[in-house]
Amino acid sequence: MEAFEAMSTCRAMRYLKADEVPSDLIEQVITAATWAPSPGNSQGRDFVIVTDKEKILEIANSIEESMASRVASMDRPDKSHRLMLDGTEYLLKTLKSCPVLIFVCGKPIYPHGSPRESFVWSSIYPAAQNLILAARALGLGTVFTTFQGVAELTIREVLDIPNDVLIGCMIPLGWPEKKFGPLNREPYDNVAHHNSWQGELRVYPPIQD
Ligand SMILES: Cc1cc2nc3c(=O)[nH]c(=O)nc-3n(C[C@H](O)[C@H](O)[C@H](O)COP(=O)(O)O)c2cc1C
């Protein structure tokens, strides 16, 4: 698939089938993630790939326990919030049957001698996005999530992740149950500033915590 098509149709896929994902495809998406840039090419990120059903169940139950009622009670002021939160509720309910969970983790290692945490995120996010786009190109669905934070202790224990390693995000991976694309994004003219920050500050879309 052409890169622009993958990028422009790569919606957060919260509806995933329980069907197995072949290990060579998992390896391909992780390999694509390793191609992402990082500060000074420090590459301070690692990928914990979870396919063990019991471990997935334990992690999924712990996340669902903390998140489900919170998400259920969130306002859905418009269609886009409704779709996102309905999808999140569905994902929380079905995470236990998701075939693969990928944790993108990082350790403060850059710059050498006085590592800063901000550079960990700079290493994790481009890698996560490469992974997501590679999955899309292979017809696989993913969603970038950070709600694994509510179950961090369980996740560290189940996956033996040391305390000095940050867990940046959790990416469920599987075959999509729904269609990809198109995306709802601000058009070029609303976000591009030529040679100076000119014009009225645009109204940013409402954000829900
Ligand atoms: C840093 C970051 C954190 C996110 N955390 C979550 C999350 O915890 N749960 C979730 O369901 N989606 C999460 N998302 C996905 C966003 O909600 C999604 O990318 C956005 O709503 C656009 O959706 P779309 O690609 O389907 O248009 C996260 C995305 C990013 C970039």
Side-chain angles (χ1 to χ4, degrees):
M1 176 183 290
E2 201 240 336
F4 278 77
E5 188 189 344
M7 284 190 274
S8 63
T9 60
C10 192
R11 278 167 59 181
M13 187 56 69
R14 299 187 178 89
Y15 296 81
L16 297 167
K17 295 179 184 169
D19 304 357
E20 199 186 317
V21 177
S23 57
D24 60 314
L25 296 188
I26 301 174
E27 192 172 329
Q28 274 191 64
V29 301
I30 301 295
T31 302
T34 68
W35 294 332
S38 59
N41 202 20
S42 48
Q43 302 177 61
R45 63 214 166 198
D46 289 85
F47 307 88
V48 183
I49 303 143
V50 190
T51 50
D52 181 300
K53 289 192 188 329
E54 277 179 28
K55 291 188 177 193
I56 290 176
L57 181 66
E58 208 172 330
I59 291 168
N61 280 343
S62 179
I63 294 174
E64 190 185 4
E65 227 167 73
S66 306
M67 283 298 294
S69 59
R70 225 157 95 182
V71 174
S73 69
M74 282 178 178
D75 283 346
R76 288 150 169 81
D78 52 39
K79 190 179 168 203
S80 110
H81 279 95
R82 182 172 55 73
L83 289 176
M84 184 176 74
L85 292 172
D86 287 356
T88 304
E89 273 191 74
Y90 183 84
L91 176 64
L92 287 167
K93 252 188 249 150
T94 56
L95 199 58
K96 51 180 90 57
S97 54
C98 180
V100 192
L101 299 180
I102 300 168
F103 293 84
V104 188
C105 301
K107 211 172 156 167
I109 58 162
Y110 184 86
H112 182 65
S114 57
R116 296 219 309 263
E117 187 182 312
S118 59
F119 285 122
V120 181
W121 303 107
S122 319
S123 297
I124 287 176
Y125 278 26
Q129 183 63 13
N130 262 22
L131 190 162
I132 283 170
L133 287 173
R136 170 69 194 97
L138 293 168
L140 286 160
T142 58
V143 52
F144 194 121
T145 75
T146 43
F147 57 32
Q148 85 286 342
V150 298
E152 182 157 338
L153 289 179
T154 304
I155 292 167
R156 285 192 187 279
E157 202 179 296
V158 171
L159 304 178
D160 292 320
I161 300 176
N163 283 335
D164 61 345
V165 170
L166 299 172
I167 305 172
C169 62
M170 177 186 82
I171 304 178
L173 171 80
W175 297 106
E177 261 182 26
K178 294 208 166 184
K179 289 205 171 93
F180 287 105
L183 302 177
N184 174 18
R185 299 289 190 267
E186 288 293 311
Y188 171 88
D189 284 341
N190 286 10
V191 298
H193 305 257
H194 289 272
N195 299 317
S196 76
W197 186 282
Q198 44 183 286
E200 297 281 309
L201 184 64
R202 71 186 168 90
V203 179
Y204 290 89
I207 294 167
Q208 196 175 44
D209 290 328

